[in-house]
């Protein structure tokens, strides 16, 4: 998996909840979410990437 792809998926997922001008995530948080996604995919290689990204973003927003 490519880090750039994961970052783009995260940003696109946030766009579902916020207007693109008011993203509630900084570079540090984006890096942390990316690391968590890579870790989950490492632990569960058969997990659907799209679902993992959506779950992590949802947890971030509601956590």
């Amino acid at each position: 998996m490519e880090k750039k792809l994961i970052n783009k998926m995260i940003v696109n997922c946030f766009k579902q909840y916020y207007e693109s001008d008011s993203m509630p995530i900084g570079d540090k948080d984006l890096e942390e979410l990316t690391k968590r996604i890579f870790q989950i995919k490492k632990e569960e290689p058969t997990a659907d990437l799209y679902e993992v990204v959506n779950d992590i973003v949802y947890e971030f927003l509601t956590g």
Side-chain angles (χ1 to χ4, degrees), residues 10-20 23:
I10 292 170
V11 169
N12 285 338
C13 193
F14 271 105
K15 287 180 182 178
Q16 295 176 30
Y17 300 102
Y18 293 93
E19 294 178 19
S20 59
M23 297 296 277

Side-chain angles (χ1 to χ4, degrees), residues 1-2 6-7 9 11-13 15 18 30 32-33 35-36 40 44 49-50 53 55 59-61:
M1 274 185 302
E2 216 177 297
I6 301 298
N7 287 345
M9 290 177 76
V11 169
N12 285 338
C13 193
K15 287 180 182 178
Y18 293 93
L30 183 61
E32 186 62 35
L33 293 179
K35 286 180 184 177
R36 288 176 56 197
I40 290 171
E44 300 175 38
L49 180 59
Y50 179 78
V53 170
D55 289 348
E59 287 176 20
F60 177 81
L61 291 172

